[in-house]
Amino acid sequence: MKTTYTAMLFTSAILRRRVAISAFQLATGPRRISTRSIASASKIILSAEGGGGRSSAAVADKDLIAKTGGKKQKQVALDTNPPKGTRDFYPADMRLRTWLFDQWRDVAALYGFSEYDAPVLESESLYTRKAGEEVTQQLYNFVDKGDRAVALRPEMTPSLARMVMAKKGGLNLPLKWFSIPQCWRYERMTRGRRREHFQWNMDIWGVDGIEAEAELLSAMVTFFKNVGLTSEDVGIKVNSRGVIGEVLTELGVPEEKFAATCVLVDKLEKVPLDAIQDELEELGLEKSTIEKLTTVLTNKSIESISAVLPPDSEAVQQLTQLFNLCKAYGIDDWVMFDASVVRGLAYYTGVVFEAFDRKGVLRAIAGGGRYDKLLETFGGDPTPAAGFGFGDAVIVELLKERNVLPSFEGSGYDSVVFAMSDDLYGVAVEVASKLRAEGQTVDLILEKKKTKWVFKHASRNEAKYCVIVAGNEYENGEVSIKDLSIGEQKAVKIDALGDWAKDVAESS
């Protein structure tokens, strides 16, 4: 430390001497101090300060003089649009988002779930382990400055698996966790589908039985009811990977090809059979095999699917139990069996389900199922797990479609407070502070405005009351309060504002 300080003093002395000599030469002759000398002296100062100091990019920039001495370059106009597939959230959008997240959190709390979160940036290997999935081609991935392959998360469940594994058995099972992460996928955009979205995830780990799926389905239906939707608006298709597995076994498809075959079957909702011919041949499957499979998957009742499965079918037994539980929950009018539901995620192992718009206008609203083998794919111990993902974009579109989405244009303040003259502004501050102390949301007008503007501003923001601090009322120790919902105005003592705020809170 002492040696560094001595070196700095010595360097500083050399620098002062050089500057003095240069000044003398400038005074006695035509020699000029070069920019190179200045840059050299600057480097001496920076090196003497050591690595802990913050250097200036302007000093280090060799082209600084060229940049500042030439013609002014024409600036490129800023593109004010966000990157394609992403969104800005203006205040009204944030109010909607907050409302939706609150709805999700309220339901999660009702069902005893705890909230968690994880980094939006994860190791790329967390997602590329699951071969054959479409998501691996949709990653926002890159190599960071530490030469690590990373990706923006396209889904949350792998992060949950990593977190559970990190505790090495230290978590008490069963666990019921939920999250509302932002997820990223580079995919084709359609109505309700963007390249980033928020997703409500609900997961139950450590429960072997179908009771977990029934609890999750009930939570999903509770949300739909809370936001004003009915079973005439939304249905939930239910199937089991066990059904598909038993059918594939009957058709002679080897088990190692189940996952890839399911991915192809899932594609048949979007493309004709001929479009996946090359992929069928790559798997060694005959077109007739898929045709037979799709015929089976048109079944819409457990009774009809039972006729083509073994008599002791475990999948049929599970589905029968699940529908009995749904009846006990009172949600049987929301759920239905549909053998065509084959979700593309390769880690589903049992029941799968998908919420859909009964009018068929929008794509899938939410989906989930059982994924008992996920932890094994990361080298962990087998752990029973089930859950669902519920995106923000499609549900908002559906609520708009059904005309049940609340308005979020106004801020919804309790009160707007303003002073009629500058000398009363201090009083307005005191009034606003009293109301805020009672828990009211208050917008204090910070600059001089006309009364007409204030009332228009209060109406535009859907405020409930307008509190006016005027000369005559103030002389009587009062303010005028206008109820904007009915247009009535009354005087209230400033000392009694606290009581007034409590009264309106109780009556609302």
Side-chain angles (χ1 to χ4, degrees), residues 62-290:
K62 295 178 181 179
D63 299 321
L64 178 63
I65 294 177
K67 288 179 180 178
T68 56
K71 290 183 178 179
K72 188 176 181 181
Q73 294 183 352
K74 186 179 179 181
Q75 290 187 339
V76 179
L78 174 69
D79 182 0
T80 58
N81 295 310
K84 190 172 182 179
T86 66
R87 298 166 285 178
D88 291 319
F89 289 90
Y90 288 90
D93 305 313
M94 280 301 299
R95 286 191 285 273
L96 189 162
R97 192 176 98 181
T98 300
W99 170 83
L100 179 62
F101 288 10
D102 286 346
Q103 296 289 332
W104 284 341
R105 287 190 169 100
D106 288 347
V107 172
L110 280 176
Y111 282 77
F113 282 69
S114 299
E115 188 167 9
Y116 74 98
D117 200 2
V120 69
L121 189 69
E122 289 276 16
S123 297
E124 183 186 69
S125 60
L126 196 62
Y127 311 108
T128 55
R129 285 171 180 267
K130 297 181 290 180
E133 285 197 65
E134 190 178 26
V135 68
T136 59
Q137 282 80 50
Q138 297 174 346
L139 290 176
Y140 275 93
N141 55 335
F142 59 95
V143 176
D144 71 8
K145 294 180 180 179
D147 204 31
R148 292 172 289 262
V150 294
L152 296 179
R153 65 179 170 223
E155 53 179 318
M156 193 63 164
T157 316
S159 295
L160 173 59
R162 177 183 59 73
M163 291 171 67
V164 171
M165 285 184 66
K167 289 297 183 179
K168 299 179 180 178
L171 294 170
N172 294 320
L173 298 180
L175 62 81
K176 296 167 73 175
W177 286 5
F178 84 97
S179 61
I180 309 177
Q182 187 179 33
C183 300
W184 297 80
R185 292 194 185 198
Y186 194 90
E187 59 183 345
R188 187 175 64 86
M189 293 181 296
T190 58
R191 184 182 179 188
R193 183 195 293 265
R194 300 182 179 89
R195 289 175 178 166
E196 59 80 20
H197 68 283
F198 288 91
Q199 182 170 290
W200 177 36
N201 286 343
M202 296 267 281
D203 294 274
I204 299 175
W205 285 51
V207 176
D208 281 308
I210 206 74
E211 292 83 3
E213 286 90 330
E215 179 85 341
L216 290 165
L217 289 169
S218 178
M220 187 183 288
V221 170
T222 297
F223 165 78
F224 286 134
K225 290 178 177 178
N226 287 354
V227 296
L229 297 171
T230 71
S231 58
E232 294 181 0
D233 299 307
V234 176
I236 305 174
K237 300 175 184 177
V238 178
N239 192 16
S240 171
R241 277 296 174 95
V243 168
I244 301 158
E246 290 174 10
V247 171
L248 290 174
T249 299
E250 291 289 316
L251 294 174
V253 178
E255 188 174 351
E256 63 270 15
K257 294 182 179 179
F258 280 10
T261 303
C262 288
V263 170
L264 289 184
V265 172
D266 197 26
K267 287 184 177 181
L268 291 177
E269 282 196 359
K270 308 165 191 172
V271 298
L273 186 56
D274 291 338
I276 61 169
Q277 185 63 42
D278 292 343
E279 293 171 272
L280 288 174
E281 292 175 1
E282 193 175 323
L283 281 173
L285 298 176
E286 296 291 334
K287 187 176 179 179
S288 59
T289 301
I290 296 296

Side-chain angles (χ1 to χ4, degrees), residues 320-368:
T320 301
Q321 184 186 358
L322 177 61
F323 278 89
N324 287 336
L325 287 173
C326 287
K327 189 172 184 178
Y329 274 105
I331 61 170
D332 49 315
D333 56 331
W334 293 77
V335 296
M336 68 209 66
F337 174 76
D338 188 333
S340 68
V341 178
V342 186
R343 296 191 60 74
L345 295 175
Y347 54 66
Y348 282 123
T349 58
V351 166
V352 289
F353 49 87
E354 189 170 275
F356 68 99
D357 171 17
R358 286 192 187 270
K359 289 186 178 179
V361 176
L362 298 166
R363 57 186 286 270
I365 303 165

Side-chain angles (χ1 to χ4, degrees), residues 275-486:
I276 61 169
Q277 185 63 42
D278 292 343
E279 293 171 272
L280 288 174
E281 292 175 1
E282 193 175 323
L283 281 173
L285 298 176
E286 296 291 334
K287 187 176 179 179
S288 59
T289 301
I290 296 296
E291 287 175 339
K292 289 177 184 176
L293 180 58
T294 53
T295 300
V296 172
L297 297 185
T298 57
N299 285 293
K300 301 294 182 183
S301 72
I302 295 178
E303 291 76 21
S304 59
I305 200 70
S306 298
V308 297
L309 294 177
D312 58 346
S313 168
E314 184 180 348
V316 171
Q317 291 173 15
Q318 281 190 338
L319 287 168
T320 301
Q321 184 186 358
L322 177 61
F323 278 89
N324 287 336
L325 287 173
C326 287
K327 189 172 184 178
Y329 274 105
I331 61 170
D332 49 315
D333 56 331
W334 293 77
V335 296
M336 68 209 66
F337 174 76
D338 188 333
S340 68
V341 178
V342 186
R343 296 191 60 74
L345 295 175
Y347 54 66
Y348 282 123
T349 58
V351 166
V352 289
F353 49 87
E354 189 170 275
F356 68 99
D357 171 17
R358 286 192 187 270
K359 289 186 178 179
V361 176
L362 298 166
R363 57 186 286 270
I365 303 165
R370 179 164 288 275
Y371 52 96
D372 290 347
K373 294 184 178 180
L374 177 62
L375 220 55
E376 290 182 72
T377 66
F378 297 113
D381 297 326
T383 306
F388 67 73
F390 197 128
D392 67 326
V394 177
I395 186 60
V396 169
E397 290 295 323
L398 181 63
L399 294 173
K400 289 177 181 177
E401 184 83 22
R402 299 297 192 275
N403 199 30
V404 292
L405 185 70
S407 171
F408 299 97
E409 289 305 312
S411 300
Y413 313 125
D414 288 320
S415 298
V416 170
V417 176
F418 81 106
M420 293 285 284
S421 59
D422 290 343
D423 60 318
L424 293 173
Y425 181 73
V427 181
V429 170
E430 292 177 16
V431 168
S433 298
K434 283 178 180 288
L435 296 177
R436 287 167 178 162
E438 295 299 330
Q440 277 207 3
T441 54
V442 177
D443 179 26
L444 174 64
I445 304 301
L446 303 175
E447 55 187 344
K448 191 173 182 178
K449 292 289 185 181
K450 291 182 179 179
T451 306
K452 184 178 179 181
W453 181 94
V454 173
F455 279 113
K456 186 178 289 187
H457 168 76
S459 176
R460 184 169 54 245
N461 283 283
E462 299 176 1
K464 298 172 185 174
Y465 301 95
C466 195
V467 182
I468 308 156
V469 182
N472 293 336
E473 286 84 354
Y474 177 63
E475 288 179 3
N476 297 324
E478 299 173 337
V479 292
S480 290
I481 300 180
K482 185 169 185 177
D483 185 333
L484 297 174
S485 62
I486 58 177

